[in-house]
């Protein structure tokens, strides 16, 4: 059975990739992958290879627009974050993509970093991510939906 740290990171992966609450059924499905022996990085790679991610989230977007989209999931947009945090995140995401890393790998590493002791410039990002996790947990305890737009609207 997945431990509380794995569950928390699973919520953060879903938020990082989809900017959505998972819902009860989707969360149970992802946690069963952990119970079956997959690691969190592997689960993240499973998520980024889904048609939902490749077509609905980043489909048709240039690499620069993909980076902007993912940054928005963390509140790293103009008016919501400082320029330093945005600049660092944009460079990090862009450099990792250029190095050939998948979004699953990149988001997993970013989540682990933000869940540790990140640079103080990311304090607002960490607070937003934790607040999104709280809302996603409350929703996903009792509710589910298959529609990404609905699940995104929860956050």
């Amino acid at each position: 059975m997945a431990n509380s740290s794995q569950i928390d990171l699973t919520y953060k992966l879903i938020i990082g990739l989809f900017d959505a609450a998972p819902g009860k059924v989707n969360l149970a499905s992802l946690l069963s992958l952990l119970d079956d022996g997959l690691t969190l990085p592997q689960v993240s790679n499973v998520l980024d290879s889904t048609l939902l991610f490749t077509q609905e989230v980043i489909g048709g977007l240039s690499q620069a627009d993909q980076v902007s989209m993912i940054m928005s999931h963390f509140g790293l947009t103009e008016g919501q974050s400082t320029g330093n945090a945005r600049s660092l995140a944009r460079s990090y995401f862009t450099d990792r993509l250029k190095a050939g890393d998948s979004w699953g790998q990149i988001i997993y590493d970013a989540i682990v970093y933000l869940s540790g002791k990140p640079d103080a410039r990311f304090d607002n990002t960490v607070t937003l991510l934790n607040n999104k996790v709280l809302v996603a947990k409350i929703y996903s305890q009792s509710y589910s939906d298959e529609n990404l737009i609905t699940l995104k609207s929860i956050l």
Side-chain angles (χ1 to χ4, degrees):
M1 177 170 211
N3 63 43
S4 62
S5 176
Q6 291 173 311
I7 294 168
D8 188 61
L9 287 172
T10 301
Y11 277 106
K12 290 177 181 180
L13 291 174
I14 294 164
I15 292 165
L17 289 165
F18 298 97
D19 198 28
K24 188 174 185 174
V25 172
N26 293 328
L27 180 64
S29 176
L30 292 172
L31 295 179
S32 74
L33 293 175
L34 292 172
D35 292 343
D36 290 343
L38 265 64
T39 64
L40 281 164
Q42 289 171 321
V43 170
S44 190
N45 285 327
V46 166
L47 287 170
D48 97 334
S49 65
T50 62
L51 290 177
L52 189 62
F53 183 74
T54 60
Q55 292 181 1
E56 298 292 322
V57 177
I58 62 167
L61 296 178
S62 68
Q63 188 179 78
D65 288 341
Q66 288 179 30
V67 168
S68 293
M69 171 70 69
I70 295 297
M71 286 176 58
S72 74
H73 297 175
F74 294 95
L76 293 165
T77 60
E78 192 145 346
Q80 291 186 325
S81 64
T82 65
N84 288 337
R86 279 194 317 275
S87 177
L88 287 171
R90 182 170 301 284
S91 292
Y92 171 76
F93 290 139
T94 302
D95 291 348
R96 292 284 306 267
L97 282 176
K98 286 181 179 178
D101 293 329
S102 70
W103 274 118
Q105 294 168 315
I106 297 166
I107 295 301
Y108 173 78
D109 290 343
I111 293 298
V112 169
Y113 173 74
L114 292 171
S115 298
K117 296 194 184 305
D119 186 293
R121 291 176 281 194
F122 290 101
D123 285 350
N124 290 341
T125 304
V126 171
T127 299
L128 177 64
L129 181 60
N130 289 336
N131 287 341
K132 285 183 174 188
V133 168
L134 179 62
V135 171
K137 282 181 179 179
I138 291 168
Y139 174 82
S140 299
Q141 286 175 357
S142 302
Y143 303 101
S144 279
D145 204 294
E146 293 299 313
N147 185 300
L148 181 60
I149 294 170
T150 301
L151 293 171
K152 288 173 78 68
S153 74
I154 302 306
L155 302 182

